[in-house]
Amino acid sequence: MTKPSLLIARAALAALACLFFASTAAAGEGEGMEAANTHIDNISSLQSGARLYFNYCSGCHSLKYMRYSRIAEDLKLSDDEVLKNFAFTGAKIGEMAMSNMPEADAEKFFGKAPPDLSLEARAKGPDWIYNYLKSFYIDSTRPSGWNNTVFPNVSMPNVLWELQGVQHADYAPAKPGEDAHVEKLELASKGTLSPTQYDDAVRDLTTFLQYVGEPAALKRESMGIWVVLYLAFFTFLAYLLKHEFWKDVH
Ligand code: HEC
């Protein structure tokens, strides 16, 4: 006969294992890329990512599913802080974080309209975004003067070059019938951030875009710990009950 407490302990263990595997499975995207190692529940990383996003990205890109008021609430900022530091377009707190750039102009400037980034982290995964933002290099054959090893012939310029510095490409010798391909990127001139500081900045930006892609994940992660405590508590109750029952049997 299986004791009820054993059954419950097993169920609790299984639930714990599920939680564990669900979180590691979500982290394992992006073959052959550096892991972004984002922590979406890290509020200071989210705040710094939002600051970078609104200073360097929101001129061209929109977040059409994201309201400023939601950012204020989730990132623990006041409405005034969000409006003053993020809403450069003169938007109101209840409005979506839209770019001011008319799509037709954007297409004229860049050859491609900058896509909305609301769901970018879901479409490409955080590792992709992290590696993309680290992989720009100078390329005089491109109209923008920039190219990217993660997104070859991209029409976005490296808007973070002042922070990162300027990378240039080392090409592997071309094999017959093939174009020379980029072997590795080297920092040709330094930026205002060190390489590790730049990695942190890009990680913060990626964390912010990951949050934007699924704002509810923030609440879910903080709920996880309560689920585990709840299970632990009920296992304990079951154990006490079992003691009560078996006392009578003996
Ligand atoms: C000067 C305008 C401009 C700015 C500023 C800018 N981008 Fe872009 N971005 C573009 C354009 C144009 C594309 C489309 C590239 C293409 O399809 O070739 C793009 C594409 C992207 C993509 C790839 C989308 C996809 O899956 O096709 C990502 C991710 C991205 N940008 C992130 C950022 C981030 C993060 C910032 C801020 C650090 C930023 N962008 C700032 C113009 C801009």
Side-chain angles (χ1 to χ4, degrees):
M1 191 183 71
T2 321
K3 296 176 194 160
S5 62
L6 249 180
L7 268 182
I8 292 182
R10 272 192 205 151
L13 264 180
L16 272 176
C18 284
L19 278 176
F20 178 75
F21 284 116
S23 64
T24 50
E29 298 162 37
E31 290 276 309
M33 292 199 178
E34 262 180 75
N37 283 329
T38 52
H39 294 285
I40 198 181
D41 54 350
N42 180 341
I43 294 291
S44 69
S45 172
L46 281 172
Q47 291 177 345
S48 133
R51 203 173 314 119
L52 287 163
Y53 176 83
F54 285 102
N55 279 297
Y56 291 97
C57 319
S58 67
C60 293
H61 292 283
S62 292
L63 303 175
K64 66 177 170 194
Y65 299 125
M66 200 70 211
R67 280 179 210 283
Y68 290 106
S69 51
R70 173 98 204 224
I71 296 178
E73 185 187 323
D74 287 343
L75 271 55
K76 310 205 184 328
L77 297 166
S78 73
D79 288 0
D80 282 347
E81 282 171 314
V82 164
L83 286 181
K84 197 166 97 221
N85 297 311
F86 299 160
F88 305 125
T89 54
K92 298 196 185 65
I93 193 73
E95 287 177 347
M96 303 293 180
M98 301 301 287
S99 156
N100 259 351
M101 188 181 288
E103 205 163 297
D105 285 353
E107 268 198 68
K108 207 161 62 209
F109 296 149
F110 308 110
K112 276 256 177 62
D116 187 276
L117 294 182
S118 303
L119 301 176
E120 181 68 13
R122 285 221 239 166
K124 296 281 175 75
D127 291 351
W128 189 92
I129 296 179
Y130 177 76
N131 285 268
Y132 168 67
L133 294 173
K134 283 173 50 133
S135 301
F136 281 95
Y137 63 95
I138 201 104
D139 180 351
S140 57
T141 67
R142 299 288 311 154
S144 71
W146 295 96
N147 208 329
N148 189 298
T149 50
V150 169
F151 189 154
N153 299 334
V154 70
S155 41
M156 171 175 147
N158 185 8
V159 296
L160 298 174
W161 71 271
E162 279 173 316
L163 305 182
Q164 183 185 25
V166 176
Q167 297 194 114
H168 94 147
D170 283 343
Y171 292 89
K175 296 195 188 92
E178 268 180 34
D179 286 342
H181 73 270
V182 179
E183 194 167 46
K184 64 177 194 308
L185 297 178
E186 254 173 285
L187 202 57
S189 66
K190 281 190 190 151
T192 54
L193 300 182
S194 74
T196 8
Q197 286 171 327
Y198 183 72
D199 286 357
D200 287 342
V202 169
R203 180 171 305 110
D204 292 343
L205 246 173
T206 307
T207 311
F208 176 68
L209 286 177
Q210 207 178 340
Y211 150 75
V212 166
E214 209 183 350
L218 206 59
K219 297 230 159 69
R220 207 167 51 225
E221 295 224 344
S222 60
M223 227 154 83
I225 183 69
W226 293 110
V227 173
V228 172
L229 286 176
Y230 180 85
L231 284 172
F233 176 67
F234 273 89
T235 310
F236 179 64
L237 271 191
Y239 173 77
L240 292 182
L241 265 179
K242 178 217 145 196
H243 255 253
E244 272 308 302
F245 290 152
W246 283 81
K247 233 176 19 213
D248 299 341
V249 175
H250 285 145

